[in-house]
Amino acid sequence: MLRFASCLLLFTLALSCPLSAQTGVSQTRKNGAAERKARKAETPGQGSRAEMARLATATDPSAIQVVPGFKVELLYSVPKDDQGSWVALTVDARGRIIASDQYGALYRLTPPPPGSSAATKVEQLNIDLRKFGPAEPPVPAAPKAGEKQRKGSSRVQVGAHGILYAFDSLYVMVNEDRLNAGLWRLRDTDGDDQFDEARLLREMKGSGEHGTHALVLSPDGRSIYFANGNHTDLPKGMEKARMVKWGEDHLLPRMWDARGHAREKYAPGGYIARTDPEGKTIELFTLGFRNHYDMAFDQNGELFTYDSDMEWDQGSPWYMPTRINHAVDGGDFGWRSGAGRWPAYYADSLPAAVDIGPGSPTGVTFGTGAKFPARYQRAFYAADWTFGTLYAIHLHPDGASFRGEKTEFVSGKPLPLTDVIIHPKDGAMYFTVGGRRTQSALYRVTYTGSESTARATPPPPTEAAKLRRALEELHAEGTPATAIDTAWPHLGSKDRFIRFAARVAIERQPADKWADRALAELPPHASIEALIALARVGDKSLQPRLIAALSRLDFSRQPAELRLPLLRAWQLAFTRMGKPPAEVCATVAAQLEPHFPHTDAFVNRELVNLLIFLGSPTIVARTVPLLSVSEPVIQTPEELGGDVLIARNDRYGSTVKDVSSSRSDRQQIAYAYALRNATIGWTSKLRTEYFSWFPRTRNWKGGASFPGFIQNIRTEALAHSTPNPTERAALDALSKPLPPTFATASITPKGPGRAYALKDAVALMPAKFAGRDFERGKAMFTATSCVVCHKFNNEGGGIGPDISGAGGRYTIRDLLENIIDPSAVISDQYGSDEIEQQDGNRIVGRVVGEENGELLVMANPFMPDEKLRVKAAAVKSRKPYPMSMMPPGLINSLNPEELQDLLAYILSGGNPQDPMFARSR
């Protein structure tokens, strides 16, 4: 028996799609089968591929915008049916570029010299890591539905996300082949210019889009750094760490993502580590990222990375945008799963150098060695896959760290950037586009202006930066106890990065050597930092003395910059050492209650958490009225939430919307989130006022998880509300949200529809859209049920990926393939598993976590809060399910003109002023 919730989804969506009589549900399924059968029957001859290849070409450089004085060249358009979709680049000792197909082989490229019209030479490397794996190589997997077998090789040969040529070897970070995931070293031992030896240096338990990623060489040329996303465990047998005792540190219970993403994933989250060339020793360097794909060193050896946002959180108080981080030694950048994401102001984490906004970070590099003007040689280049933009981040010293200035260097539609490098021999920039089996290509950027391109000298490090790096030397294992005296004076530094480095150095030393000193420290800056260190690593028996030391620091007398650190020190005293006796809680609560509400919104967020934890009898009465007070000012970029998405899309031509009525009030959500845990101080009036807040959030917009979070806050609050079943039922009725509504199409399809096969649909499309009908395209977006499952400019459902930036990453052909054969490419963020139980029953759904020996399975995407519980011991097998939750055939009711209008609407980002809708006169 197969319990398959997606069948319900297929049926529901099929009913909502106004298919013609000839293309009902059963016919839709037949169409998908016929398409796959037609693909299998297609011969590899050039003629049979001509129609498919017509639109399977990369974006022309004339359609790519670049900073004046620079030139973009298309060097190679990748035939993706044969060579896949490229995501990583490196340069070998002979100056040849090596590229990695995300799901398959490695390729070696010899580009022509700049200015030459010769073709790029491309060859596939003869390496299949499965022959060298720890187990017998499996039988090559059959292609997924709609996917062609590539010529001359098994479907997956390497599947690398990161590659690096160093130490006369090619280092490969295998991701997509789970049997062989980890860090490999390839060598050519017989001099035939092919890698004939492959050795797995370290197994890495992590794969997919949040798995193992990039590799870079250290500035001293002695070690290799690697970046792993938040779904990747620390390497087995990791020998060293530059920091100690990282944790979750949530004062109140954390709420997991409403759709199950990263459930049961804990700190360190995404991290950067380093190893020697032989992989003998691995040392954890910095942590607390969500999903940074790449990293790069500047000329002074400072490391930077570009971390991803959790786009499903947009509109929530814990949303954090994509950000450029100065990845310092021993740093923690605050990613914690679900609603547990630390705000940037937590004293035990570090802030970004610059916030970017929504996007999908991929490759990064510095311009070091480029034949560019000095400003661009020193720039940090960060690629965004979703919006097709390569940023040039101009970094300026700011004490011991940096602040960044964001500019756009290259952009295009589509331009799904994956990696970027500076060639060490010709000084040109090379970048690839592709990923998720989209159309891939290799481009080159050269400078054609008149400014000098002489090699730029590195800017001298500031004295503060020198001090920070000296303190970071004390983070190594085995550092003598004299490090305490060296670091201690800098706990009171005005520079946050120096304080952080000093504290990490002290935390590495046994706490009994410095606990008394921390408890006796008087200057507020130093005292707070020392007490944070003691809370994090000290013995729990010290808690009474720690509380006494914190109580000496009168909150009302602290300057603004110390209020939040002091509140964080209080929190850590409890998260690390436990909840103290009731009388102590009451005493601490009495100290803090007079300061709430405060004029600082962030201080209020931390105070309400502390006071609820401590059992304050007055905090509920003080907080509930604030649910009716609108947030007056958006204070910081990370607070922008869903509004960022609208502003971000505007540069691609999207319509600017009035979001005043739909913008979520993040401060109110923060209060409601905390109040769900309050059990003291409620009255019937306060409960009624609190639960009446939930319906007011109905029109608030946010990411895919946003409505689920609001619902889960309500559910947990009800569970804590009252033991009286009658009163609880009334509160449930009062707070129950209305079902979501979606716009109806103002124009219905005229048809006649047809059973679209990919090659036929491609043949019907022009190379470039022009003269399309915007209103009809918008109506078709609703008529074909796209709006039910996909976010688009902050509207619509959240079952599938947000397609607001589709024009930045998809060609016409790629978009058609995603619509017509959705099972051909399934992101692991939206995939399902098929679970077979010992009794023969099978379940298809998304596994979102494990609790008490049971798998939690989201079987119905329309009800993400409802989980099936499957005993792990009863599972016989578990494997990815090759069928997308999105059914094929949704466009089969459209005629070719309507289909073109729909595609133009999506690719334009919903912008009626896009040239695709311009009418010729």
Side-chain angles (χ1 to χ4, degrees):
M1 174 181 173
L2 174 64
R3 299 176 69 180
F4 185 25
S6 292
C7 291
L8 171 63
L9 173 59
L10 289 169
F11 181 71
T12 303
L13 290 185
L15 286 181
S16 67
C17 177
L19 299 176
S20 62
Q22 291 80 17
T23 55
V25 175
S26 61
Q27 185 63 43
T28 297
R29 292 173 178 165
K30 290 178 182 179
N31 294 341
E35 167 67 6
R36 289 190 288 274
K37 183 176 180 181
R39 289 186 176 199
K40 291 180 180 179
E42 185 180 358
T43 63
Q46 188 69 26
S48 61
R49 294 187 175 186
E51 290 182 347
M52 298 295 287
R54 186 170 62 86
L55 292 183
T57 56
T59 299
D60 189 275
S62 64
I64 297 174
Q65 293 74 51
V66 65
V67 169
F70 290 85
K71 174 186 176 183
V72 178
E73 301 173 77
L74 173 60
L75 297 181
Y76 186 66
S77 186
V78 179
K80 70 174 183 176
D81 286 338
D82 296 327
Q83 296 177 355
S85 195
W86 297 355
V87 295
L89 297 173
T90 190
V91 180
D92 70 12
R94 293 168 56 180
R96 298 170 298 185
I97 296 174
I98 298 175
S100 172
D101 169 20
Q102 182 176 354
Y103 305 101
L106 299 171
Y107 296 88
R108 188 159 55 199
L109 299 82
T110 305
S116 170
S117 60
T120 298
K121 178 183 177 183
V122 180
E123 57 179 319
Q124 178 176 325
L125 292 176
N126 184 24
I127 185 73
D128 187 346
L129 292 187
R130 290 184 171 185
K131 296 178 181 178
F132 301 92
E136 288 296 318
V139 176
K144 288 182 181 179
E147 178 183 342
K148 294 180 182 179
Q149 184 89 4
R150 294 187 189 140
K151 295 191 296 182
S153 62
S154 61
R155 179 171 157 263
V156 175
Q157 294 175 304
V158 178
H161 280 205
I163 52 177
L164 170 68
Y165 193 90
F167 307 107
D168 295 322
S169 307
L170 180 64
Y171 290 86
V172 177
M173 187 62 88
V174 174
N175 177 300
E176 299 293 341
D177 185 352
R178 296 189 182 189
L179 289 174
N180 292 312
L183 179 60
W184 288 74
R185 185 178 188 177
L186 313 185
R187 297 175 64 232
D188 174 12
T189 64
D190 57 12
D192 68 348
D193 207 24
Q194 291 290 330
F195 297 105
D196 55 89
E197 177 187 276
R199 186 160 61 93
L200 177 62
L201 300 184
R202 282 298 177 100
E203 178 184 356
M204 305 275 181
K205 188 178 179 183
S207 62
E209 295 173 15
H210 289 240
T212 57
H213 295 319
L215 303 163
V216 299
L217 187 65
S218 65
D220 63 9
R222 297 179 181 178
S223 58
I224 296 170
Y225 284 66
F226 57 90
N228 285 343
N230 64 324
H231 285 188
T232 309
D233 294 345
L234 289 173
K236 190 177 294 184
M238 185 186 74
E239 289 78 12
K240 298 179 181 179
R242 303 295 283 185
M243 66 295 289
V244 296
K245 285 197 174 182
W246 55 85
E248 298 298 300
D249 293 314
H250 299 128
L251 195 62
L252 300 177
R254 173 246 313 280
M255 184 176 286
W256 296 104
D257 176 70
R259 295 165 54 82
H261 177 82
R263 188 180 180 91
E264 308 298 330
K265 296 293 183 181
Y266 297 98
Y271 58 89
I272 294 173
R274 61 187 175 195
T275 183
D276 60 277
E278 300 293 332
K280 294 179 180 178
T281 301
I282 288 182
E283 183 176 41
L284 182 62
F285 180 75
T286 190
L287 56 82
F289 304 110
R290 180 172 182 262
N291 190 33
H292 56 312
Y293 183 82
D294 201 357
M295 63 205 143
F297 289 95
D298 74 1
Q299 291 174 289
N300 289 320
E302 300 285 1
L303 184 62
F304 292 82
T305 189
Y306 181 21
D307 194 21
S308 68
D309 63 341
M310 176 45 165
E311 64 275 14
W312 296 356
D313 289 349
Q314 287 173 6
S316 72
W318 47 86
Y319 173 73
M320 195 75 75
T322 68
R323 54 216 306 254
I324 306 298
N325 291 308
H326 179 201
V328 297
D329 188 315
D332 187 333
F333 291 86
W335 178 87
R336 301 299 187 268
S337 190
R341 177 65 166 95
W342 292 2
Y345 55 73
Y346 272 8
D348 47 337
S349 70
L350 290 168
V354 59
D355 289 321
I356 300 296
S360 296
T362 50
V364 302
T365 193
F366 271 92
T368 306
K371 291 184 178 179
F372 292 174
R375 171 177 168 82
Y376 290 99
Q377 290 184 49
R378 296 186 182 121
F380 176 70
Y381 297 92
D384 176 5
W385 185 80
T386 294
F387 293 105
T389 302
L390 179 63
Y391 296 104
I393 308 296
H394 301 287
L395 295 161
H396 308 287
D398 185 17
S401 185
F402 298 83
R403 55 183 172 81
E405 172 195 352
K406 178 186 74 173
T407 62
E408 292 180 7
F409 185 67
V410 174
S411 62
K413 293 180 61 176
L415 203 70
L417 292 134
T418 54
D419 203 5
V420 55
I421 60 171
I422 302 298
H423 199 292
K425 295 194 174 182
D426 65 22
M429 172 187 283
Y430 293 81
F431 66 82
T432 46
V433 298
R436 286 193 193 169
R437 297 190 172 90
T438 57
Q439 178 60 49
S440 198
L442 175 72
Y443 293 87
R444 177 166 59 200
V445 181
T446 52
Y447 181 64
T448 59
S450 58
E451 292 185 52
S452 172
T453 59
R455 191 174 186 87
T457 57
T462 64
E463 292 302 314
K466 292 178 183 178
L467 173 57
R468 171 183 54 78
R469 295 188 70 161
L471 291 168
E472 289 169 353
E473 292 298 320
L474 305 179
H475 297 173
E477 291 186 358
T479 303
T482 54
I484 299 173
D485 289 335
T486 302
W488 200 273
H490 304 294
L491 291 175
S493 172
K494 297 289 186 180
D495 190 300
R496 181 172 176 178
F497 279 75
I498 291 175
R499 291 198 307 272
F500 192 97
R503 178 177 54 77
V504 173
I506 289 167
E507 288 178 354
R508 178 158 289 287
Q509 301 298 320
D512 58 5
K513 294 182 180 297
W514 51 268
D516 289 341
R517 188 172 180 177
L519 293 165
E521 188 70 40
L522 293 178
H525 262 106
S527 176
I528 291 171
E529 203 71 41
L531 295 176
I532 285 175
L534 188 61
R536 284 169 51 87
V537 302
D539 189 89
K540 293 181 179 180
S541 64
L542 293 170
Q543 190 188 53
R545 296 178 64 193
L546 178 61
I547 290 174
L550 287 170
S551 297
R552 292 198 304 265
L553 295 163
D554 185 345
F555 183 84
S556 64
R557 295 187 177 183
Q558 302 308 314
E561 69 269 17
L562 288 185
R563 292 169 189 156
L564 288 167
L566 177 56
L567 294 176
R568 182 58 173 167
W570 275 113
Q571 291 173 350
L572 290 166
F574 305 135
T575 63
R576 294 293 175 114
M577 295 182 168
K579 191 167 187 175
E583 61 273 17
V584 176
C585 288
T587 300
V588 177
Q591 294 178 38
L592 297 176
E593 281 173 337
H595 308 295
F596 184 88
H598 199 272
T599 55
D600 186 317
F602 294 146
V603 166
N604 280 340
R605 292 188 189 184
E606 304 312 319
L607 278 173
V608 74
N609 288 331
L610 271 164
L611 290 168
I612 287 174
F613 173 84
L614 293 167
S616 164
T618 67
I619 189 58
V620 169
R622 291 166 181 255
T623 307
V624 168
L626 299 179
L627 293 175
S628 300
V629 179
S630 296
E631 185 178 24
V633 178
I634 299 173
Q635 301 185 37
T636 62
E638 59 263 28
E639 286 295 281
L640 287 170
D643 297 345
V644 176
L645 182 61
I646 294 175
R648 179 73 180 82
N649 282 348
D650 182 49
R651 73 161 299 282
Y652 291 91
S654 298
T655 304
V656 178
K657 300 182 178 181
D658 178 6
V659 296
S660 56
S661 62
S662 61
R663 179 177 63 82
S664 63
D665 192 308
R666 287 155 298 282
Q667 191 72 5
Q668 289 184 16
I669 295 171
Y671 292 144
Y673 179 80
L675 285 168
R676 85 191 198 281
N677 296 284
T679 57
I680 297 172
W682 289 101
T683 64
S684 294
K685 181 177 182 297
L686 286 171
R687 286 196 181 101
T688 298
E689 189 175 349
Y690 173 68
F691 282 97
S692 66
W693 172 83
F694 289 95
R696 299 204 299 270
T697 70
R698 177 173 179 257
N699 293 322
W700 289 359
K701 304 300 181 183
S705 292
F706 180 81
F709 272 123
I710 299 295
Q711 175 61 22
N712 290 348
I713 292 171
R714 188 186 83 94
T715 299
E716 292 187 19
L718 277 171
H720 295 148
S721 61
T722 172
N724 185 322
T726 302
E727 186 177 359
R728 182 177 296 185
L731 294 175
D732 184 18
L734 173 66
S735 59
K736 190 165 292 184
L738 296 172
T741 60
F742 299 104
T744 58
S746 57
I747 305 171
T748 58
K750 292 182 178 179
R754 61 178 70 184
Y756 286 103
L758 179 58
K759 66 177 182 179
D760 298 327
V762 168
L764 292 169
M765 298 296 117
K768 186 176 182 180
F769 287 137
R772 303 318 314 162
D773 187 318
F774 174 82
E775 291 300 332
R776 187 165 61 184
K778 181 178 180 180
M780 296 306 103
F781 189 80
T782 301
T784 55
S785 297
C786 300
V787 70
V788 175
C789 294
H790 295 282
K791 287 282 184 184
F792 189 72
N793 289 345
N794 232 16
E795 303 285 348
I799 298 170
D802 190 317
I803 57 174
S804 303
R809 60 184 183 266
Y810 293 133
T811 63
I812 295 173
R813 183 195 186 280
D814 286 336
L815 183 56
L816 279 168
E817 183 173 23
N818 276 269
I819 295 171
I820 293 172
D821 195 357
S823 295
V825 182
I826 304 174
S827 165
D828 56 42
Q829 305 305 304
Y830 296 92
S832 301
D833 284 349
E834 181 179 352
I835 300 171
E836 182 180 4
Q837 297 176 277
Q838 299 289 353
D839 61 7
N841 284 340
R842 288 185 296 153
I843 297 173
V844 170
R846 187 175 300 159
V847 178
V848 297
E850 187 171 353
E851 287 181 352
N852 303 319
E854 294 180 319
L855 299 179
L856 304 179
V857 183
M858 184 181 72
N860 186 345
F862 283 117
M863 304 179 72
D865 302 326
E866 294 189 3
K867 312 293 191 302
L868 296 177
R869 291 183 172 267
V870 181
K871 291 188 179 298
V875 174
K876 182 178 180 181
S877 66
R878 174 182 166 187
K879 59 184 179 182
Y881 194 70
M883 184 176 179
S884 170
M885 289 188 290
M886 176 179 169
L890 293 177
I891 59 171
N892 287 354
S893 62
L894 308 183
N895 63 40
E897 292 294 313
E898 292 166 333
L899 178 57
Q900 291 187 39
D901 291 336
L902 170 64
L903 297 183
Y905 176 74
I906 296 173
L907 293 173
S908 73
N911 174 25
Q913 304 305 316
D914 190 282
M916 286 186 278
F917 302 111
R919 299 286 182 173
S920 57
R921 295 182 179 178

